[in-house]
Amino acid sequence: MTRRDQGDEGERTRAATEARTNPVGEASAGKPPWKALWVLALGLAMIVLDSSIVNVSIPAIINAIHITMTEAQWVTALYSIVLAALLLPAGRLGDMVGRKRMLQIGTVIFILGSLLAATSSSGSWLLMARVVQGIGGSLVMPSTLSSVSATFRGKYRATAFGVWGAVMSGAAAVGPFLGGLFTSTIGWRWIFLVNLPLGLVVILASMAFVPETKSSPAGSADRFGLLRDWEGILLSALGSAFVVFALIEGQTYGWVRPASTLVLGPLVWSDSVPVSPVPISLVLGLVLLVGFALVELRRKRQDRIVVLDVSMFTIGTFGWGNLTAAIINAGQFAVIFILPLYMINARGLSPLQAGSVLGIMALGSVVSGGLARLVSARLGAGGTVQLGLGMEILGVAASVLLMRDSMPLWTMLVTLVIYGTGLGFASAQLTSLVLSGVPVAQSGQASATQSTIRQWGTALGAAVSGSVLSAAVGMVMPAHLGAIPDLPTGVAQGLTQSVRSSAGNVISSMRMQGTKGQLGVLGPQVTEALTRGFTQGAQLSMAFAGVLLLVGLVASIKVRQAARKAGADRV
């Protein structure tokens, strides 16, 4: 027998042992570890918060350390790309090494990255710090969800996932508010420094309250056996990275033809090249992911350790649930993308004011998280998801109708509470359903898969919302500018393009100039026309986000049917 055959035989033995053994730390029939839940929720909040807290601080960062606009774009994108690339291998590693241990290691790395980001004095230093943060976040995120899945069973499961979902959606909503608050008071560096006390609490509290769970008892498996599936690790990481890059940066660099020059270290993709890097990245990413699936299927047939057991997608709730989650995340991100632009550029709010308004969604999420168990007991997990999606669609529809220049802002607050409440119901219980049919021993890779697909959905939402908003503004703006008699056609076309390329930011500048800008006395009229046109474009984009949520609602029917068939709807 050759050395490789001996290694493969060892892998098969370990895989068989892993499949037979009950997971360490699985919840018993006793009192569930509620303190552990709040520690895990805090770890999740720290990671989610960092994906939304940075955006409103970008102008201050540009002025403080003199980074270029290209570097600024990568500050927001790089974290998401690295996070999505490493979630799958990180989740599987947590299954084998221990989910609590991965949570703690990831938090240490995340704190280090946050400290590097807060002390950055150049664009390259800040980008390196964001990579470190992404690595840490990829270890923390699946560890929190898989630990919840492993330790909360039966009647406590709905409550646990309700809290988890409320924290996830609430942290995303609170991020812009905290970003605006820190930037306008104590400084933009605190958007990163805030992670230090949060991370220390997670590490210390996890030592005391979070039980260790893994897919096999200590010492029964080679902790580094996962490295034997180096093809799977490499293919999944690169495939996810290329897909997420294409979806996030399609609007910036062009979906087919280059819209601007891509500069990434020594790599320069000129805008004079016939094809944009975006479609090439997307196709390459999809090819790599197909190759990843084929490699994992082959290794699974050979009883060898895999990064992802692809056969999990044959579980109805897991397969349909992940598809539904991707669609819903796309719609939810589109809402979060459009509303701040409308509030800041059309309504003239400051980033802090806009963040405060959006923070109202967190209130609805917290309420629905607390009610999750009661609602799920009556409607089932599938019914709770559909109730939540119905409330989200209602909130979006009401927001579209109320997006007017003269409409009191408090009316939007009501719609956001409705939307946020639905967000908490839908997100948490959908997560519960997706993982309901997955063996606890595989909860790490299942959680990482769901987190990865949610990241893809979020990236898709970023791509779709930006493109739809640009197209909608380009469609409606000429009519509004054409109503100004003395405005030359060429100027109107240039203004329309400026609004499209800046996502409406140029309106705020013109509003501040009044009659002292280049357009003179026409300035206020043009600003009013641009505001009306941008508002109408935002309405159309929000309506499209509502359509995505409606498609998600239809897809959730299949998830509920699969859950009923498996007897998992009452979780």
Side-chain angles (χ1 to χ4, degrees):
M1 182 179 292
T2 66
R3 182 169 298 179
R4 177 172 179 176
D5 291 336
Q6 291 174 344
D8 290 347
E9 180 65 26
E11 281 192 299
R12 286 192 288 271
T13 302
R14 286 189 292 271
T17 301
E18 185 180 55
R20 291 193 305 266
T21 309
N22 289 328
V24 175
E26 185 177 351
S28 64
K31 186 178 179 180
W34 294 114
K35 292 180 181 179
L37 175 62
W38 292 109
V39 176
L40 296 169
L42 181 60
L44 172 71
M46 181 178 65
I47 302 306
V48 174
L49 190 68
D50 215 67
S51 63
S52 61
I53 197 174
V54 175
N55 292 346
V56 296
S57 305
I58 287 298
I61 295 174
I62 292 175
N63 293 331
I65 60 176
H66 309 293
I67 61 176
T68 66
M69 185 56 66
T70 298
E71 288 174 323
Q73 291 169 345
W74 279 103
V75 168
T76 58
L78 199 55
Y79 176 75
S80 298
I81 292 173
V82 174
L83 184 68
L86 299 179
L87 279 171
L88 283 177
R92 185 67 175 106
L93 193 61
D95 282 341
M96 301 176 64
V97 175
R99 297 159 189 135
K100 173 181 174 179
R101 182 172 299 173
M102 284 297 100
L103 170 67
Q104 293 170 337
I105 294 173
T107 302
V108 170
I109 296 173
F110 189 79
I111 290 175
L112 175 61
S114 299
L115 185 60
L116 291 174
T119 56
S120 296
S121 58
S122 65
S124 57
W125 190 261
L126 181 56
L127 292 177
M128 181 184 68
R130 292 294 275 172
V131 171
V132 176
Q133 282 189 302
I135 295 171
S138 70
L139 297 175
V140 172
M141 182 175 282
S143 299
T144 62
L145 180 54
S146 58
S147 293
V148 171
S149 180
T151 54
F152 288 87
R153 316 300 293 175
K155 63 181 181 179
Y156 302 111
R157 190 176 176 88
T159 302
F161 277 108
V163 171
W164 191 88
V167 169
M168 181 176 65
S169 52
V174 169
F177 166 72
L178 290 180
L181 177 63
F182 290 155
T183 302
S184 60
T185 54
I186 55 179
W188 65 268
R189 295 184 188 275
W190 276 92
I191 66 176
F192 301 114
L193 288 175
V194 70
N195 295 323
L196 273 64
L198 292 178
L200 289 174
V201 171
V202 170
I203 293 172
L204 295 176
S206 66
M207 293 178 180
F209 303 123
V210 177
E212 180 63 283
T213 60
K214 60 177 71 172
S215 57
S216 57
S220 66
D222 178 5
R223 292 176 177 177
F224 302 101
L226 185 63
L227 295 178
R228 294 182 183 275
D229 188 12
W230 62 269
E231 308 106 308
I233 295 174
L234 192 62
L235 290 171
S236 65
L238 290 177
S240 295
F242 279 120
V243 168
V244 172
F245 164 77
L247 293 176
I248 290 178
E249 299 297 340
Q251 186 69 20
T252 301
Y253 297 110
W255 290 105
V256 180
R257 301 278 298 180
S260 60
T261 299
L262 167 65
V263 180
L264 184 58
L267 173 65
V268 177
W269 193 294
S270 172
D271 56 5
S272 62
V273 177
V275 181
S276 165
V278 170
I280 293 176
S281 177
L282 182 60
V283 171
L284 179 59
L286 292 175
V287 169
L288 290 172
L289 290 175
V290 170
F292 166 66
L294 294 175
V295 167
E296 299 304 277
L297 285 171
R298 173 174 56 81
R299 291 182 64 88
K300 180 66 175 178
R301 285 194 298 266
Q302 297 171 350
D303 290 329
R304 301 167 70 186
I305 291 177
V306 294
V307 172
L308 174 64
D309 184 355
V310 183
S311 65
M312 286 193 299
F313 283 95
T314 61
I315 302 172
T317 51
F318 190 78
W320 283 106
N322 275 300
L323 176 62
T324 303
I327 298 171
I328 293 173
N329 261 47
Q332 290 171 345
F333 183 87
V335 171
I336 298 298
F337 175 83
I338 295 163
L339 281 177
L341 295 176
Y342 161 73
M343 292 177 185
I344 294 172
N345 297 326
R347 299 302 300 265
L349 300 184
S350 68
L352 177 58
Q353 291 171 324
S356 301
V357 173
L358 290 175
I360 295 297
M361 287 190 296
L363 176 61
S365 296
V366 170
V367 172
S368 57
L371 296 175
R373 179 178 175 182
L374 296 175
V375 175
S376 182
R378 293 184 61 87
L379 302 179
T384 306
V385 170
Q386 292 174 337
L387 171 65
L389 286 172
M391 294 181 70
E392 287 189 61
I393 293 169
L394 176 62
V396 169
S399 296
V400 170
L401 295 176
L402 295 174
M403 290 172 73
R404 299 284 191 276
D405 301 338
S406 58
M407 190 67 67
L409 199 59
W410 67 264
T411 58
M412 287 288 290
L413 299 181
V414 176
T415 66
L416 290 178
V417 169
I418 296 173
Y419 176 83
T421 303
L423 182 63
F425 281 139
S427 295
Q429 294 311 304
L430 180 58
T431 299
S432 176
L433 274 180
V434 170
L435 299 180
S436 61
V438 176
V440 177
Q442 296 176 305
S443 60
Q445 56 181 309
S447 300
T449 302
Q450 186 188 210
S451 297
T452 302
I453 291 177
R454 283 182 180 271
Q455 286 289 318
W456 293 350
T458 298
L460 178 62
V464 170
S465 55
S467 298
V468 170
L469 179 61
S470 177
V473 168
M475 181 174 62
V476 303
M477 191 65 77
H480 291 280
L481 291 175
I484 303 175
D486 299 327
L487 187 68
T489 302
V491 173
Q493 292 175 344
L495 287 168
T496 298
Q497 184 56 39
S498 295
V499 174
R500 292 181 63 183
S501 61
S502 68
N505 288 336
V506 70
I507 301 175
S508 299
S509 301
M510 295 190 64
R511 186 179 292 115
M512 294 177 62
Q513 293 173 0
T515 59
K516 298 179 181 180
Q518 294 182 351
L519 296 174
V521 294
L522 289 179
Q525 286 181 268
V526 170
T527 300
E528 184 179 354
L530 293 178
T531 300
R532 289 197 303 268
F534 186 78
T535 299
Q536 189 176 352
Q539 285 177 300
L540 294 173
S541 302
M542 281 283 286
F544 185 80
V547 171
L548 287 175
L549 293 173
L550 184 60
V551 173
L553 177 60
V554 173
S556 71
I557 296 174
K558 296 293 294 184
V559 184
R560 192 176 188 184
Q561 290 174 347
R564 284 175 171 173
K565 185 176 180 180
D569 195 33
R570 300 285 174 177
V571 293

